[in-house]
Amino acid sequence: MYQELFFPVIDTERLTLKPLVIDDSGSLLEIFSDPEVMRYWNTAPWATIQDSIDFINESNDSMRRQESLILGVHLKSTGELAGKCMLFGYDKESKRAEIGFGLGRSCWGKGYIGEAGEALVQYGFDSLGLRRIEAEIDPDNQPSAKALEKLGFSREGLLRQRWEVNGVVSDSAMYGRLVSDHPAQHN
Ligand SMILES: CC(C)(COP(=O)(O)OP(=O)(O)OC[C@H]1O[C@@H](n2cnc3c(N)ncnc32)[C@H](O)[C@@H]1OP(=O)(O)O)[C@@H](O)C(=O)NCCC(=O)NCCS
């Protein structure tokens, strides 16, 4: 029963969130090999189908270990894979996890993360019993900051020079949303 908690299928109005399968590897590679999508990520763009397969296998392993929830975001209208969203760094005792998301470029600006993110946040609070969900983003990533604010996250601080990727040093902006915070305003 507890195992199933980490392999949910979550429906929203336009989207279905569900665990990734190997058949998703081609679409996933297309999205995460795009340097624009990976611009603010702390890893380089994916290069080969093996990167995608490894990600899917590692995601499912970490879900089996009940450490994270990594879900593909599918458009209900076409079945197309729009991207992924996740709760990771799950700390059961502290009832906390981190949220992350990434969509293919053609799916930006349509409010999909408002929809997928809110469903994931509610799943985290209601089903995993989380008290706090946090997010760490590059402070220059305006679309992500806006998406988080629309999801009811508050900016809590700035961690200076936290990352170095390919010789580029960057800060992290920290966001948090508590189960006791007011509901998200995006609707
Ligand atoms: C960040 C991201 C998840 C936001 O999801 P989304 O579903 O596009 O979010 P929204 O539709 O609510 O748009 C959020 C903001 O993105 C910006 N945006 C929208 N369309 C855009 C486009 N075509 N190009 C660039 N920015 C755009 C807008 O500023 C928008 O704010 P607004 O609603 O006030 O206009 C998505 O853009 C993405 O996957 N980006 C690449 C990966 C990434 O950076 N992930 C986060 C790492 S922590």
Side-chain angles (χ1 to χ4, degrees):
M1 171 61 196
Y2 196 66
Q3 182 75 24
E4 285 166 21
L5 266 183
F6 286 80
F7 286 84
V9 176
I10 303 171
D11 273 312
T12 69
E13 195 184 332
R14 293 177 293 170
L15 308 168
T16 300
L17 318 187
K18 56 184 180 186
L20 291 159
V21 295
I22 294 298
D23 272 356
D24 295 322
S25 53
S27 316
L28 206 59
L29 175 63
E30 220 170 284
I31 298 169
F32 292 99
S33 57
D34 179 348
E36 272 302 303
V37 171
M38 298 301 277
R39 183 162 164 206
Y40 297 109
W41 226 266
N42 53 21
T43 56
W46 297 358
T48 69
I49 195 73
Q50 196 57 46
D51 292 334
S52 200
I53 292 170
D54 289 347
F55 180 85
I56 293 169
N57 286 333
E58 283 160 22
S59 296
N60 283 293
D61 285 348
S62 83
M63 283 153 70
R64 270 189 288 276
R65 291 195 302 270
Q66 301 176 350
E67 290 170 357
S68 58
L69 208 101
I70 298 163
L71 302 175
V73 177
H74 296 261
L75 305 185
K76 276 185 175 169
S77 56
T78 59
E80 179 196 341
L81 186 73
K84 61 180 162 68
C85 64
M86 57 197 130
L87 287 172
F88 60 104
Y90 172 49
D91 186 319
K92 193 174 172 189
E93 190 180 355
S94 296
K95 303 185 178 68
R96 146 170 69 76
E98 190 170 338
I99 195 167
F101 28 71
L103 298 176
R105 226 191 293 183
S106 63
C107 293
W108 294 357
K110 297 184 170 139
Y112 287 145
I113 283 305
E115 211 171 304
E118 184 60 20
L120 194 61
V121 163
Q122 287 311 325
Y123 191 83
F125 288 152
D126 296 344
S127 300
L128 298 184
L130 300 179
R131 178 178 50 235
R132 170 185 167 81
I133 298 176
E134 55 197 24
E136 178 189 348
I137 65 166
D138 186 315
D140 292 338
N141 189 347
Q142 282 303 321
S144 204
K146 278 195 186 162
L148 283 168
E149 279 155 19
K150 283 195 273 181
L151 277 170
F153 282 73
S154 305
R155 183 163 157 154
E156 297 176 330
L158 182 78
L159 308 184
R160 296 173 302 159
Q161 299 191 5
R162 186 143 198 268
W163 292 97
E164 181 165 342
V165 179
N166 293 331
V168 178
V169 176
S170 61
D171 300 338
S172 285
M174 298 301 300
Y175 286 76
R177 178 171 161 188
L178 305 182
V179 68
S180 55
D181 285 345
H182 293 297
Q185 299 298 310
H186 70 98
N187 282 331

